[in-house]
Amino acid sequence: MPLIIPATQGILAIKISRLTDFPLGYAQLEKLPDGEKYVRISTDVEGEDVILVNSFAHNPDEMLIETLFLIKTLRDYDARSITGVFPYFPYSRQDGRLIRGEAFSLKIVADLLRSAGIDRMIVVDFHLHRLKDLNSFFGFEVKNLTAMHKIADFVRKNFEMKDPIVVAPDEEAVRWAKIVAEDLDLDYIYLQKMRIDAENVIIDSAPPDVSGRDVLIVDDMISTGGTVVQAVKALKKVNCGKVYVACTHAILAKDALKKMLECGVEGLVATDTVLSPISHVSVADIISDCLLSLDW
């Protein structure tokens, strides 16, 4: 039976353990006074299939170093296999080089994980754009799950909307908006976005067919909230009704939640891939189902 090791941001590990009946192990994780990470695996992992659970939200660089130390230590102490459950994965937006001299951040992270000795990775709603084959890119098996069906179910039960329509705030978000729209038997559209920098975007206009209709904005992640705020402004200009927002990963950097509420968002929902005030949907069951389906 596989053994689950929770890392610093491994709250999901407890939920997964309860759903799968896989036992929990223990890792001692500390941040030393000089900022370095101390890692010690306190459970005997020799010959074990280990499931390492961590989220890379909020402190991605620190969590990456911690995870690399854990993977390498598990390998050093002869774990039979190492499966990483990393529901929110960092640097996924840097999936290529747009400007000469840029670091190919995601490729560097992939190389580090592979070199450390990981065998398999499970992620949720990975921010794919240019990447078509995650297995080839990372060099090990990657299972990319989606939380959009669960989000759609939450919306159905909790958001009361009048003549609703699903809106992707940009073309990249269409693949997630489409899933939610199909589950709710609704139409979907997408807006045209131009990004200025990491925190600022421009959305010039919205289609007129949202007039008088409540709107559900769907995306994979909300970081600064800039895209949502601009989308709401564009939709309000063409007299939409109430605006609701749903995403998988609620990073909510700085005052993102406050900005979205101030611009008129009626309700928001996200998952527990990143713990936040709007994390009303858990992905523990879809991850557990995936783990139970594997050939250990």
Side-chain angles (χ1 to χ4, degrees):
M1 181 179 291
L3 173 70
I4 298 175
I5 300 287
T8 296
Q9 297 191 39
I11 299 298
L12 265 175
I14 299 169
K15 299 178 183 179
I16 293 168
S17 176
R18 289 173 178 169
L19 290 169
T20 59
D21 286 330
F22 295 163
L24 282 170
Y26 180 73
Q28 182 182 350
L29 303 164
E30 297 179 19
K31 190 170 184 178
L32 302 177
D34 60 0
E36 294 181 354
K37 295 291 292 191
Y38 174 83
V39 167
R40 176 175 175 264
I41 306 293
S42 305
T43 304
D44 183 10
V45 298
E46 183 177 355
E48 299 282 357
D49 293 306
V50 176
I51 300 166
L52 175 63
V53 183
N54 208 0
S55 175
F56 297 123
H58 304 310
N59 297 297
D61 295 346
E62 181 178 334
M63 293 303 103
L64 274 169
I65 286 294
E66 172 183 285
T67 300
L68 291 168
F69 285 5
L70 284 165
I71 293 169
K72 187 62 171 69
T73 305
L74 288 167
R75 186 58 69 198
D76 288 347
Y77 282 90
D78 298 321
R80 179 174 179 267
S81 68
I82 303 169
T83 297
V85 174
F86 310 136
Y88 169 72
F89 200 86
Y91 294 106
S92 56
R93 284 173 286 194
Q94 191 68 48
D95 59 356
R97 288 189 174 97
L98 300 179
I99 304 172
R100 181 177 175 81
E102 282 185 332
F104 194 169
S105 308
L106 184 60
K107 187 65 170 69
I108 295 170
V109 172
D111 292 345
L112 288 170
L113 287 171
R114 187 178 62 256
S115 297
I118 196 170
D119 295 296
R120 181 195 293 122
M121 180 171 77
I122 297 172
V123 294
V124 180
D125 286 321
F126 195 93
H127 188 83
L128 294 171
H129 184 198
R130 286 167 286 270
L131 295 182
K132 303 304 179 185
D133 186 346
L134 282 176
N135 292 350
S136 296
F137 181 84
F138 278 88
F140 51 81
E141 182 183 7
V142 180
K143 292 188 175 294
N144 183 23
L145 311 179
T146 184
M148 289 299 159
H149 300 294
K150 295 207 66 181
I151 287 172
D153 189 53
F154 179 93
V155 169
R156 182 187 297 109
K157 295 174 180 176
N158 294 277
F159 290 169
E160 294 184 6
M161 297 184 288
K162 176 185 175 183
D163 190 21
I165 185 170
V166 176
V167 175
D170 54 37
E171 193 170 0
E172 290 181 25
V174 167
R175 55 188 172 276
W176 294 293
K178 182 180 179 182
I179 296 171
V180 173
E182 289 177 348
D183 279 9
L184 298 176
D185 196 23
L186 299 176
D187 295 330
Y188 67 92
I189 57 173
Y190 70 91
L191 307 180
Q192 297 284 353
K193 180 180 81 173
M194 180 173 69
R195 179 166 291 281
I196 305 303
D197 54 36
E199 296 189 15
N200 298 288
V201 300
I202 294 174
I203 296 176
D204 289 331
S205 61
D209 57 357
V210 301
S211 179
R213 305 176 69 178
D214 289 349
V215 169
L216 176 67
I217 297 174
V218 175
D219 209 344
D220 65 324
M221 72 175 74
I222 298 174
S223 183
T224 65
T227 296
V228 170
V229 168
Q230 291 303 316
V232 172
K233 289 179 179 179
L235 291 162
K236 292 287 187 182
K237 283 181 181 178
V238 291
N239 302 312
C240 73
K242 294 179 180 179
V243 179
Y244 297 84
V245 175
C247 73
T248 299
H249 313 293
I251 306 300
L252 303 183
K254 299 180 181 178
D255 58 349
L257 183 56
K258 178 173 177 283
K259 288 192 300 185
M260 289 186 289
L261 292 172
E262 285 179 342
C263 79
V265 173
E266 188 76 16
L268 303 98
V269 62
T271 77
D272 56 356
T273 59
V274 180
L275 293 179
S276 78
I278 63 170
S279 297
H280 306 309
V281 173
S282 181
V283 297
D285 55 346
I286 62 174
I287 293 172
S288 296
D289 287 345
C290 178
L291 289 169
L292 288 168
S293 72
L294 298 176
D295 185 16
W296 296 102

